[in-house]
Amino acid sequence: MIHFHIPTHAQIRDNDKALLGVAAPSRVRPYLTLWKDERSTPLLPLPEIAIDTQVASIVIKDEGQRLGLGSFKALGGAYAVMTLFKGLLETHLGDEVSPAQLLSPTARDFAAGMTFCCATDGNHGKSVAAGARILGCRSVIFVHEGVTEARSDTIGADEVIRVKGNYDVSVDEAERVSKERGWLLVSDTSWEGYEEIPSLVAQGYTILAQEALEQISKLKIDPPTHVFLQAGVGGFASSISLHLSETLGHENIRTIIVEPDRAACLFASAQAGTLTSFKPTEPTIMAMLECYTPSLVAWRILNASASAFVTVTEDQAKDAMRMLAFRDQPVVSGESGAAGLAGYLAVARDPDARQKLGLDRNSRILVINTEGATDPATYEAIVGLAPTAVVQQAAIN
């Protein structure tokens, strides 16, 4: 399904622009030094898909290789943890500290008594746990009953607490327990009275948008005219949408939001014209997007910046995964990772949608593989090859 939307860029708040606009990546980048890995993730042209769908170009940013954690989320939660820790340490010391000083013996002593927590479908929790681990803090991650053991086992937290119910229930439980025990909650979704920390998480994601534009320029391709962004609560999508709009000019790029049809809370909100929860029916394989209530900040931004909201089926996501796996330069893309491409293909094959979104032979498309094979067994069942076998194909080619 497609809901066409009229963006109202003038309604985007100045503080949202300041957090996610042109200068945002420069605020994030110093913290990447704490990872000891500042490499950009690959950006690959998809010429065969561009020809088939009759556009000038389509490129995919492969976040499955980000910081060894397998998804773009590595940039957000860890950055928020580091930023929050820096502020608390400065208050404790009564003096400013640099990102590099967050690894000093003094900082380590301070970190020993601190616990960070969050709820997650998998990837955000990995990032929060990694950020805490780098600093020497403790981490506790809440997962709902739909998170597979394979995903929860790779989170890397000091403690993982499984909650009965869906993602929204785990968010509520993480908030409740964090208040009760004095833990620092680093959620990637926002609600009334809780906006600052999710906005920091979203700020971390702007790094990948900046990288993508730099890599596109190096390929001698003009900037994208359309970007297809998968969404759960919407933090990632709102970050990339606003950053690209501020950098390229909102009149030069259209944002299309893609969600599973079984968890389309932003689609429902766009249809209703106000933030709306989605009533779940059955789980989706796009587990990292299985969210039923939008982030308050994300909805505010996407309501003002998105040109359309699209839903995709389970089969469409699977087809996009296979399409990326079986090509000359294979991309290992998990179920949620391939959703953006699935959304693009759905729109590209719809003549009415093409016309309304200005999709033609001059269009330049950006999609993002937001995750690799976060559950290798599920990936193999869908694609027919293990992730390692797909990577070996790339080496042979």
Side-chain angles (χ1 to χ4, degrees):
M1 295 189 295
I2 302 176
H3 173 81
F4 299 102
H5 194 71
I6 300 174
T8 52
H9 295 277
Q11 294 182 7
I12 296 176
R13 298 183 184 182
D14 288 341
N15 64 316
D16 291 332
K17 292 180 181 178
L19 276 165
L20 303 174
V22 178
S26 65
R27 299 193 187 109
V28 180
R29 195 160 293 282
Y31 292 86
L32 291 181
T33 61
L34 303 184
W35 285 91
K36 314 295 185 191
D37 184 357
E38 298 180 63
R39 292 172 296 174
S40 299
T41 52
L43 182 133
L44 301 171
L46 302 174
E48 70 283 6
I49 299 177
I51 292 169
D52 182 57
T53 56
Q54 300 180 36
V55 294
S57 66
I58 176 168
V59 294
I60 186 166
K61 178 79 165 153
D62 186 7
E63 289 296 301
Q65 302 183 45
R66 179 68 71 177
L67 295 170
L69 294 189
S71 90
F72 77 97
K73 291 279 189 179
L75 290 167
Y79 167 68
V81 166
M82 293 168 179
T83 304
L84 292 168
F85 180 77
K86 180 176 181 289
L88 292 167
L89 180 61
E90 287 174 338
T91 299
H92 174 69
L93 297 176
D95 196 9
E96 291 187 12
V97 297
S98 68
Q101 290 174 303
L102 299 183
L103 302 183
S104 68
T106 299
R108 285 279 173 183
D109 289 343
F110 183 63
M114 197 171 296
T115 298
F116 286 92
C117 73
C118 73
T120 188
D121 283 320
N123 289 332
H124 176 62
K126 276 187 185 179
S127 186
V128 169
R133 188 167 58 249
I134 288 169
L135 297 173
C137 301
R138 185 169 178 267
S139 63
V140 179
I141 308 299
F142 294 77
V143 300
H144 59 90
E145 59 188 356
V147 176
T148 65
E149 292 294 334
R151 290 191 172 105
S152 65
D153 287 348
T154 61
I155 287 174
D158 294 290
E159 184 179 357
V160 175
I161 297 175
R162 190 168 286 274
V163 178
K164 288 186 177 180
N166 59 31
Y167 171 76
D168 291 32
V169 174
S170 69
V171 170
D172 292 342
E173 182 66 0
E175 183 189 16
R176 183 190 70 78
V177 176
S178 68
K179 287 179 178 178
E180 186 179 275
R181 303 192 185 181
W183 295 343
L184 286 161
L185 177 67
V186 182
S187 177
D188 61 350
T189 189
S190 59
W191 51 86
E192 196 70 44
Y194 184 81
E195 297 186 16
E196 179 184 359
I197 291 174
S199 294
L200 285 174
V201 174
Q203 188 175 62
Y205 304 150
T206 62
I207 283 284
L208 76 88
Q210 182 190 57
E211 286 180 3
L213 292 180
E214 291 171 349
Q215 290 166 319
I216 287 169
S217 178
K218 288 178 182 177
L219 289 174
K220 308 298 184 184
I221 300 173
D222 287 335
T225 58
H226 298 73
V227 60
F228 288 74
L229 299 168
Q230 51 268 64
V233 295
F236 159 75
S238 63
S239 170
I240 305 306
S241 176
L242 181 50
H243 185 77
L244 291 177
S245 176
E246 287 294 294
T247 303
L248 300 175
H250 63 79
E251 69 281 0
N252 295 321
I253 187 163
R254 295 186 181 185
T255 295
I256 296 89
I257 302 305
V258 183
E259 296 174 280
D261 61 0
R262 298 179 180 181
C265 59
L266 288 161
F267 185 97
S269 297
Q271 283 191 315
T274 188
L275 192 152
T276 301
S277 293
F278 182 91
K279 186 175 181 179
T281 53
E282 55 185 321
T284 172
I285 60 166
M286 291 166 269
M288 303 304 167
L289 308 177
E290 192 172 353
C291 306
Y292 301 108
T293 302
S295 163
L296 175 65
V297 174
W299 165 244
R300 182 171 74 213
I301 292 170
L302 292 174
N303 187 39
S305 65
S307 293
F309 295 79
V310 178
T311 64
V312 294
T313 66
E314 309 292 283
D315 285 341
Q316 286 173 318
K318 293 176 182 178
D319 288 344
M321 290 171 67
R322 298 184 193 107
M323 184 177 291
L324 289 170
F326 297 105
R327 52 188 307 275
D328 289 342
Q329 286 185 289
V331 176
V332 175
S333 180
E335 305 86 45
S336 301
L341 176 61
Y344 166 69
L345 293 170
V347 168
R349 292 164 179 165
D350 181 329
D352 181 58
R354 289 185 70 106
Q355 190 273 325
K356 288 180 177 176
L357 293 174
L359 201 64
D360 58 32
R361 292 183 182 277
N362 297 313
S363 299
R364 301 175 299 277
I365 315 302
L366 171 63
V367 297
I368 299 166
N369 175 30
T370 49
E371 63 165 19
T374 55
D375 187 327
T378 300
Y379 180 89
E380 184 173 2
I382 293 170
V383 172
L385 282 178
T388 50
V390 173
V391 172
Q392 286 168 2
Q393 279 191 128
I396 292 169
N397 292 335

